[in-house]
Amino acid sequence: MAQGTVLRSHAGGYLVFETQSMASLFCQARKRLKKEHVSILTGDRVELVDVDFDKGTATITGCCDRWSLLTRPPLANVDQVVIVQAVRQPEWNQLWCDRYIVHFQLELPDAKPVLCFNKCDLIDEEQSSTLRGIYEPLGYNVVLLSTITGGGLDELSVLLAGKITVFAGPSGVGKSSILNKLDSSLKLKIGVMDNDFGVGRQTTTYSKLYQVLSGRYPETPTWVADTPGFNLQEIKYPMPADVMWQFPEIAAYSNDCKFSNCMHLVETDCKVIENIVEDDEPMPVERNPDAPLPVARERYENYVLLQAEAQEVYNQRRSTSSKVETGVKTTGGEKGKGKAIPKLDLATRSESRRREKQRFKPSILLDDESELDMDEYLT
Ligand code: GDP
Ligand code: ZN
């Protein structure tokens, strides 16, 4: 049976890229799918019948299970996220960088985000190697880019080839400029600051997939989504217990602290706190893989901030949620000194897990985002 990838919704149907022929076909979904509550999203792999290459049409008869799902905007089967930031104009902010990293690692746990620092023409070599030195030792792919000099574009192309990628990042950092440089046929508008990605858009609008680099990699279709739609306001707050696992250098010490449930905040005998390196000490770019990871002061402080923020939002949501029982679990620190973390009753937790699995089955509709969000949050 013919298969394809949904590129976008189009005139009440879908534009689908048929895998074998590499042709884009206009498709209608079988009515049965709607009855069965199958939602078809951009990025979904679909099964096709009645393929007519002359007319450029086909009928969708089924939707395959997803290997990943981004919720904002709804986008299926994304392989990776490229977090784009400007090193200047606007000024780079490490807290936001770490915030984006935490968010996207939780959204796409199987793929480390690629960190793309744009506008490197505005800084010198030393400053760019400082940026590299913060994130490369932690295992992130770092691309130092300039759409003006063209530096870093080849490196980025290699990371994109054959994948579906979302470009995320605030307005004005150069996402459209980068995509236009990768593929000049895209002709995305540059410098449209206020109605740009995410801002003013409905989160439920369909995103489009664009094929890029077809000149360079004709055999392996490469896709980028046009609407990252993840502006600063749309970043979801993580569960407090999830935050530390998103910092590889902090997670690396999880078994070494005196208390097995150490949150690395104030505890005595905390290996994370013991291993903090001050910011003026250089980070080794080439490190011995067996040596413990250094924890940079700035990253640690961002961890503490994000952790506190997550806890606060969690407490707020918890006090307004009717599903939560009154049980409280204590974690971290010596007896009586630990932080109280609210606990959900088992029924609520397993219900949430079931829903989590359903996200990857196309038969769950995504139009009730509020419900989905809350359940995810409380898992
Ligand atoms: P987007 O909002 O993230 O899509 O950003 P745009 O691509 O619209 O770019 C925002 C502004 O940054 C525009 O004025 C671009 O000309 C400028 N810009 C993009 N890339 C670079 C770069 O590498 N260096 C410099 N100096 N400016 C850039
Ligand atoms: Zn600790």
Side-chain angles (χ1 to χ4, degrees), residues 12-32:
Y14 303 91
L15 198 67
V16 176
F17 181 82
E18 202 275 318
T19 313
Q20 286 286 309
S21 64
M22 294 196 175
S24 295
L25 305 171
F26 177 60
C27 302
Q28 290 289 344
R30 279 267 161 85
K31 288 211 175 62
R32 178 178 53 80

Side-chain angles (χ1 to χ4, degrees), residues 125-183:
E125 282 280 316
E126 196 188 323
Q127 290 167 305
S128 43
S129 61
T130 303
L131 285 173
R132 207 186 265 289
I134 298 173
Y135 291 103
E136 259 181 9
L138 303 176
Y140 294 98
N141 270 318
V142 173
V143 183
L144 300 168
L145 215 107
S146 166
T147 63
I148 290 180
T149 66
L153 284 167
D154 284 344
E155 204 182 324
L156 184 61
S157 307
V158 171
L159 295 173
L160 301 184
K163 295 186 174 153
I164 298 182
T165 303
V166 165
F167 275 63
S171 286
V173 296
K175 295 181 296 294
S176 316
S177 307
I178 296 168
L179 294 175
N180 283 343
K181 284 280 171 188
L182 290 173
D183 197 321

Side-chain angles (χ1 to χ4, degrees), residues 38-319:
V38 174
S39 64
I40 298 173
L41 302 175
T42 298
D44 263 328
R45 302 273 301 173
V46 289
E47 286 163 357
L48 303 171
V49 295
D50 304 335
V51 180
D52 185 331
F53 289 112
D54 295 330
K55 286 192 196 149
T57 57
T59 303
I60 299 174
T61 57
C63 188
C64 308
D65 285 355
R66 299 169 181 137
W67 62 83
S68 73
L69 177 67
L70 286 186
T71 50
R72 297 179 192 185
L75 200 56
N77 299 327
V78 169
D79 292 300
Q80 65 186 354
V81 176
V82 172
I83 299 175
V84 185
Q85 299 154 88
V87 292
R88 288 264 163 82
Q89 299 174 12
E91 204 63 28
W92 184 64
N93 179 321
Q94 190 172 348
L95 177 60
W96 276 107
C97 180
D98 291 337
R99 215 189 280 277
Y100 269 101
I101 294 174
V102 168
H103 175 82
F104 285 110
Q105 283 180 170
L106 286 164
E107 282 259 295
L108 272 191
D110 295 330
K112 273 204 169 182
V114 173
L115 305 181
C116 177
F117 296 103
N118 190 32
K119 311 199 188 183
C120 283
D121 51 286
L122 302 175
I123 57 172
D124 60 27
E125 282 280 316
E126 196 188 323
Q127 290 167 305
S128 43
S129 61
T130 303
L131 285 173
R132 207 186 265 289
I134 298 173
Y135 291 103
E136 259 181 9
L138 303 176
Y140 294 98
N141 270 318
V142 173
V143 183
L144 300 168
L145 215 107
S146 166
T147 63
I148 290 180
T149 66
L153 284 167
D154 284 344
E155 204 182 324
L156 184 61
S157 307
V158 171
L159 295 173
L160 301 184
K163 295 186 174 153
I164 298 182
T165 303
V166 165
F167 275 63
S171 286
V173 296
K175 295 181 296 294
S176 316
S177 307
I178 296 168
L179 294 175
N180 283 343
K181 284 280 171 188
L182 290 173
D183 197 321
S184 55
S185 65
L186 287 179
K187 298 191 172 59
L188 300 173
K189 281 190 189 153
I190 307 285
V192 199
M193 298 286 280
D194 39 33
N195 191 22
D196 197 14
F197 296 109
V199 179
R201 276 175 192 258
Q202 286 292 320
T203 49
T204 46
T205 38
Y206 264 82
S207 352
K208 292 179 197 167
L209 289 184
Y210 287 105
Q211 190 167 9
V212 293
L213 303 171
S214 33
R216 207 186 292 212
Y217 303 102
E219 300 302 317
T220 51
T222 297
W223 305 98
V224 294
D226 79 320
T227 53
F230 308 111
N231 221 295
L232 308 184
Q233 304 89 321
E234 302 192 59
I235 287 210
K236 275 188 282 186
Y237 290 98
M239 288 287 288
D242 287 338
V243 179
M244 76 167 90
W245 303 105
Q246 309 316 317
F247 285 73
E249 71 276 47
I250 290 176
Y253 292 103
S254 58
N255 291 328
D256 304 336
C257 296
K258 182 168 177 189
F259 302 101
S260 63
N261 54 0
C262 183
M263 300 285 271
H264 323 300
L265 295 171
V266 287
E267 285 85 349
T268 43
D269 291 322
C270 170
K271 289 288 168 209
V272 172
I273 294 176
E274 272 173 30
N275 280 285
I276 291 175
V277 180
E278 297 309 321
D279 286 338
D280 45 11
E281 292 175 45
M283 283 282 175
V285 173
E286 299 280 334
R287 31 176 307 277
N288 169 3
D290 301 324
L293 284 165
V295 181
R297 167 70 61 192
E298 178 98 23
R299 285 269 298 169
Y300 176 74
E301 282 176 1
N302 289 346
Y303 161 71
V304 173
L305 252 159
L306 294 178
Q307 178 73 45
E309 194 177 270
Q311 187 69 53
E312 196 185 312
V313 174
Y314 182 85
N315 293 346
Q316 269 170 21
R317 294 218 190 176
R318 189 182 165 265
S319 65

